[in-house]
Amino acid sequence: SAAVVGVTTVEFLDHRDGVIEYGTALRRDIAAAIRRHRPELVITLNHRDTWGGAVWNTPDHVAVGRATLDAAGDAGNRWIFPELAERGLEPWNGVRWVAVAGSATPTHAVEAGPGLDRAVRSLLEHRSYIEALTDEDPEEYARGFLTASAEAAGGRFGGKPAVAFELFGR
């Protein structure tokens, strides 16, 4: 899925999907990844209880989103997780922004039209998951879901299909 959209490095942190819990272990693992890769921008999931309105978010998404926001600061703090520095992962205070995808209150957007077909192909790499969600043809479902999301965001950000983010400065 990641390779389809041009991602060359994927790092799994070995927290079990669906039951990830917020806590120091998750923050430490994300902070370690930030120290390893040293990004200026970190993208994460919606950390709020809902996707906006009455659509409830899942606990593991909330945990990952919140832990990522906290870990962006933890990564640059030499007093938090000193064991990471002992393993050669020196503090990195270079994260300038954390972008939250799926926020009900987005502040920024990126045009999505040129990458929409790649996004559909990427999502189709999760075919068995899609097939468990719906009886609809997986490609039609993926295209419909992504197109509707991009058009909804585009309505707020200049009319072109877009992916929206809530951007937090550090």
Side-chain angles (χ1 to χ4, degrees):
S1 179
V4 170
V5 293
V7 174
T8 57
T9 302
V10 175
E11 183 175 336
F12 293 95
L13 302 181
D14 295 325
H15 293 262
R16 201 168 128 232
D17 188 28
V19 294
I20 298 170
E21 295 181 283
Y22 178 88
T24 54
L26 182 59
R27 284 176 42 212
R28 181 181 44 251
D29 289 349
I30 297 170
I34 291 170
R35 288 182 181 191
R36 232 182 330 278
H37 299 286
R38 300 186 171 265
E40 291 185 355
L41 169 69
V42 174
I43 300 173
T44 191
L45 301 167
N46 179 6
H47 60 283
R48 296 199 173 87
D49 289 335
T50 70
W51 292 101
V55 180
W56 197 250
N57 197 354
T58 62
D60 58 329
H61 289 180
V62 172
V64 169
R66 183 60 209 210
T68 301
L69 284 166
D70 292 338
D74 295 340
N77 186 330
R78 67 187 176 114
W79 303 109
I80 299 176
F81 309 130
E83 66 275 17
L84 296 178
E86 292 167 8
R87 293 186 353 223
L89 296 172
E90 292 300 321
W92 169 251
N93 202 27
V95 174
R96 297 177 62 197
W97 304 278
V98 178
V100 176
S103 171
T105 55
T107 57
H108 292 72
V110 177
E111 185 179 352
L116 191 59
D117 286 334
R118 279 184 299 147
V120 170
R121 288 193 316 273
S122 176
L123 189 54
L124 282 173
E125 293 294 320
H126 303 282
R127 182 175 294 274
S128 60
Y129 179 73
I130 294 171
E131 288 171 346
L133 290 177
T134 181
D135 291 331
E136 190 176 353
D137 173 72
E139 185 169 352
E140 288 178 23
Y141 176 85
R143 186 167 302 284
F145 174 77
L146 293 172
T147 299
S149 296
E151 288 174 353
R156 235 187 122 204
F157 293 97
K160 293 182 180 179
V163 177
F165 299 92
E166 183 175 7
L167 195 64
F168 290 89
R170 292 236 1 106

